[in-house]
Amino acid sequence: MIHPVLLCGGSGTRLWPLSRKSFPKQFVQLIGVESLFQSSARRLSGKGFASPLVITGSEYRFIVTEQLLSAGIDPAAVLIEPEPRNTAPAVLAAALHLAGTDPAALMLVAPSDHVVPDAAAFRAAVQAGVPAARGGRIVTFGIRPTRPETGYGWLELAAPARDGAPADLCRFVEKPARDLAEAMLAAGNFLWNAGIFLFSAQTMIDAFRAHAPDLLPPVTAAVAAARADLGFLRLDPDAWGGARAVSIDYAVMERAANLAVVPFGAGWSDLGGWDAVAAEMPADPRGNALGGNAHAIDCDGTLLRSKDAGVELVGIGLTDIMAIATDDAVLVAHRSRAQDVKKAVELLQARGAKQAEAFARDHRPWGWFQTLALSDRFQVKRIVVKPGAALSLQSHMHRSEHWIVVHGTARVMVDGAVRLVGENESVYIPLGARHRMENPGKVPMVLIEVQTGTYLGEDDIIRYEDAYARGQGAKG
């Protein structure tokens, strides 16, 4: 049995504005009807695979469980990182967690934001690496290169190898310059490093002991002192804070001698930029990739996407341009500058623009809300609460609220008094009142909230009870 380990962190700034820190690219429907995370979990499921172990941050924990539930996949565990520490501590934490019950357990570590069109071929490649992994080797999966890519690391084999046949790895090659990438592509014995690995839990623990021993004490302590929180396992923050931030490649892979590579040539992309997304989308006869409410007139080689149903995006006479529109931001750039999109995020961060990291729609475990209007002393929101879900019992120090139900029925408690509020009915929440709202029905409940007060920030909230065990603060 193979235990998938899905790494589910990162902010995905190169795919802004559809990917942002509050809802990064692995959770977005970039290709197909499912998110990249859901497609990754489904690809690593079925015969021969155990339920996945997911490693993510606290802010994404409910998104992870909601998307897995929607995909019909029950995770074996969801480990919560107290803070990002890159991939090496995360992989070691997963190995220690699995070794607690079975040191020989095979782990397949994979990012959750890659595209692999032929899932069956990938599972076959994984099975081809199982004997080597059971024999104590660390197996990585190298992608057949199709171009002299400078944005990936490469793997050098001793000699060209066929797909599905484990081969010895000579060395890792850092992201190369163009001329070196062209030479490696022509040589035929180089592969792209996909960052996907197969090994036993004990093999990886031994590798850390040999090559990154400083990580063992803090990560071991963080796993040992982890505490259960609803369906999650929170790694101990004090111990975790003592682990240095380092990638698994730098910490272990580039130093280990027991590596093998399984070549894979059936298609793969890490969707590392909008040019990579365009390559995975259907194109018209003139090479234009269109998504959502986007239209091209006399355009060539252009990517146009509009995420919002209310935004029509039209390109006229464009060549090699990418334009991505959401309801609150628009990106326009030449396709050759796809890797520079992160500069737009840095610019907006420096300006303090919320669009740099957050969407207008804010996801919560009970549903979501979206700001419709915001001024100095008032804010109007649309709030959608899932069937059976409830907001926390809370109060505010600086604002009062007026709720108008426009769809469904709300059960509202204000200072101990409980009442049902139906469509076209409203309720007033005075400043300082303890209140809670829940959806007792079987359809989503929608309401309009009007806030008034001297401060309208999301951190003006005191939680007294919460079904989702959140702490204080904007999201808890």
Side-chain angles (χ1 to χ4, degrees):
M1 188 71 69
I2 297 172
H3 297 262
V5 177
L6 291 172
L7 305 178
C8 201
S11 56
T13 56
R14 288 179 295 178
L15 291 182
W16 185 88
L18 259 62
S19 172
R20 306 183 194 179
K21 184 178 179 181
S22 66
F23 202 80
K25 74 171 186 175
Q26 61 264 29
F27 302 122
V28 179
Q29 293 175 338
L30 284 168
I31 304 294
V33 298
E34 290 188 316
S35 72
L36 300 178
F37 172 66
Q38 288 173 310
S39 296
S40 297
R42 195 179 299 282
R43 182 166 61 250
L44 305 182
S45 62
K47 184 179 179 180
F49 289 91
S51 296
L53 185 155
V54 181
I55 304 177
T56 190
S58 182
E59 64 270 36
Y60 306 137
R61 65 195 189 278
F62 293 110
I63 301 174
V64 163
T65 53
E66 181 177 348
Q67 291 205 352
L68 286 177
L69 178 64
S70 178
I73 296 173
D74 186 21
V78 178
L79 272 58
I80 305 298
E81 294 181 288
E83 56 185 306
R85 279 292 183 263
N86 213 315
T87 53
V91 171
L92 178 56
L96 291 166
H97 176 77
L98 286 171
T101 54
D102 182 10
L106 289 186
M107 304 168 52
L108 179 65
V109 175
S112 59
D113 56 0
H114 291 182
V115 169
V116 181
D118 193 337
F122 181 75
R123 286 191 288 265
V126 171
Q127 291 299 329
V130 166
R134 291 202 185 281
R137 305 191 75 178
I138 298 172
V139 180
T140 184
F141 297 86
I143 307 302
R144 294 286 184 194
T146 56
R147 60 187 182 274
E149 177 61 54
T150 60
Y152 301 152
W154 292 58
L155 307 171
E156 182 181 3
L157 307 181
R162 61 182 177 85
D163 284 1
D168 291 334
L169 174 66
C170 289
R171 65 183 176 113
F172 284 80
V173 180
E174 295 296 327
K175 295 177 181 178
R178 179 77 181 188
D179 57 346
L180 178 56
E182 291 174 347
M184 291 190 295
L185 179 64
N189 62 319
F190 288 85
L191 306 170
W192 290 337
N193 179 12
I196 304 172
F197 304 99
L198 177 69
F199 44 76
S200 75
Q202 190 60 56
T203 294
M204 184 50 56
I205 294 170
D206 291 342
F208 272 92
R209 185 172 291 112
H211 306 294
D214 64 295
L215 291 175
L216 273 170
V219 178
T220 300
V223 173
R227 62 179 180 86
D229 178 3
L230 296 180
F232 311 105
L233 190 63
R234 286 185 177 273
L235 300 172
D236 181 73
D238 292 334
W240 189 257
R244 61 186 167 104
V246 61
S247 73
I248 187 66
D249 280 359
Y250 284 120
V252 172
M253 300 305 174
E254 295 183 8
R255 295 171 168 81
N258 59 332
L259 269 73
V261 182
V262 175
F264 181 73
W268 168 90
S269 175
D270 72 342
L271 294 187
W274 281 114
D275 52 343
V277 174
E280 298 295 325
M281 294 173 59
D284 67 16
R286 296 179 65 168
N288 299 302
L290 308 176
N293 298 325
H295 318 276
I297 300 174
D298 294 332
C299 294
D300 294 281
T302 293
L303 168 64
L304 303 174
R305 286 185 66 141
S306 174
K307 181 178 183 294
D308 192 271
V311 177
E312 297 285 345
L313 176 62
V314 181
I316 302 176
L318 303 177
T319 300
D320 294 334
I321 295 296
M322 54 188 192
I324 318 298
T326 67
D327 59 352
D328 65 346
V330 178
L331 169 72
V332 181
H334 194 273
R335 285 182 64 163
S336 65
R337 303 295 298 275
Q339 295 302 308
D340 290 332
V341 171
K342 59 185 178 181
K343 294 181 180 180
V345 178
E346 294 168 356
L347 171 71
L348 295 177
Q349 288 172 331
R351 291 173 52 83
K354 66 179 182 179
Q355 289 94 332
E357 298 184 349
F359 286 97
R361 178 177 294 192
D362 197 326
H363 293 264
R364 299 298 169 93
W366 43 260
W368 56 269
F369 69 82
Q370 183 171 358
T371 297
L372 304 178
L374 176 63
S375 189
D376 290 340
R377 295 185 61 90
F378 78 89
Q379 180 171 206
V380 181
K381 292 181 178 179
R382 175 172 55 178
I383 299 177
V384 178
V385 183
K386 296 181 291 188
L391 281 68
S392 60
L393 177 63
Q394 59 187 256
S395 66
H396 308 294
M397 296 292 292
H398 302 284
R399 70 176 186 256
S400 60
E401 297 172 340
H402 196 97
W403 294 341
I404 305 99
V405 176
V406 296
H407 183 73
T409 300
R411 180 184 289 122
V412 177
M413 180 175 71
V414 181
D415 283 336
V418 179
R419 57 175 287 199
L420 292 177
V421 182
E423 293 181 8
N424 299 319
E425 295 182 330
S426 64
V427 62
Y428 174 66
I429 314 297
L431 185 150
R434 293 194 180 194
H435 60 281
R436 164 176 272 161
M437 168 176 49
E438 61 182 297
N439 179 1
K442 298 184 181 300
V443 298
M445 184 265 291
V446 183
L447 62 84
I448 300 299
E449 177 183 86
V450 180
Q451 302 175 353
T452 57
T454 57
Y455 178 73
L456 306 173
E458 287 303 315
D459 54 348
D460 178 22
I461 180 171
I462 301 172
R463 290 191 181 90
Y464 305 98
E465 297 175 7
D466 184 49
Y468 309 102
R470 293 171 294 172
Q472 300 302 326
K475 293 190 176 183

